[in-house]
Amino acid sequence: MPTIVLVIAFVAAIVAPAFAQKAEIDAVNAKWIELFNKGDFDGVASLYTEDATAFPPGSAMVKGRTAIAAMWKSIAEQVSDPKLTTLDVKSKGPKPQEMTGKYLVVWEKIGNAWKLAADIWNDGK
C-alpha cells in the first residue's frame, strides 16, 4: 500500500507543474489575442523571445521581435479575431475568416514570464 501512495504522489508531482504551466501559457495566448485584435503588433512581438523565429506558411522564416511585429501586422490585413487553443504542454480580409490548421509553439520561460521562442503553423488538418 505505501508503494501505491508513493507512486501516486510521484505522478501528481510530475503532472501538477504541467497543469500550472498550461494555465500560464493559456493566459499569454489570451494576451496575444487581445493585443492582435487591438492592432498592437509591437505588444504581440513582446510576447516572443528576443531571438524568436516564426515560420509562416509559404514564406521565409521571420526572426526577431521587430520582424515578427511586421509579419503579424501584415497578416492582420487578411485575418481577424484569431483563436488559439493549447492542446498539450510538455515540460522542457474584409470579412472574418475561419481557418483550420496545425500550430506549434515552443515556449521558453524567461525569468517569471513565458515567451514564444518558435512559432509555426500551416493550413489543413
Side-chain angles (χ1 to χ4, degrees), residues 2-72:
T3 304
I4 292 174
V5 171
L6 183 60
V7 169
I8 291 171
F10 177 74
V11 169
I14 291 172
V15 172
F19 283 121
Q21 290 172 353
K22 183 180 182 307
E24 292 172 2
I25 288 170
D26 284 341
V28 178
N29 276 339
K31 184 69 174 175
W32 189 101
I33 290 169
E34 174 190 334
L35 293 167
F36 182 93
N37 286 336
K38 287 194 317 190
D40 182 356
F41 304 107
D42 289 332
V44 169
S46 76
L47 301 175
Y48 288 78
T49 60
E50 292 281 341
D51 62 347
T53 304
F55 301 83
S59 300
M61 292 186 299
V62 179
K63 188 142 180 85
R65 287 183 177 162
T66 301
I68 288 171
M71 174 198 68
W72 285 119

Side-chain angles (χ1 to χ4, degrees), residues 18-32 84 86 88-90 105-108 114-116:
F19 283 121
Q21 290 172 353
K22 183 180 182 307
E24 292 172 2
I25 288 170
D26 284 341
V28 178
N29 276 339
K31 184 69 174 175
W32 189 101
L84 301 173
T86 303
D88 193 13
V89 173
K90 298 183 188 301
V105 173
V106 176
W107 292 87
E108 186 176 332
W114 284 99
K115 301 285 185 176
L116 295 95

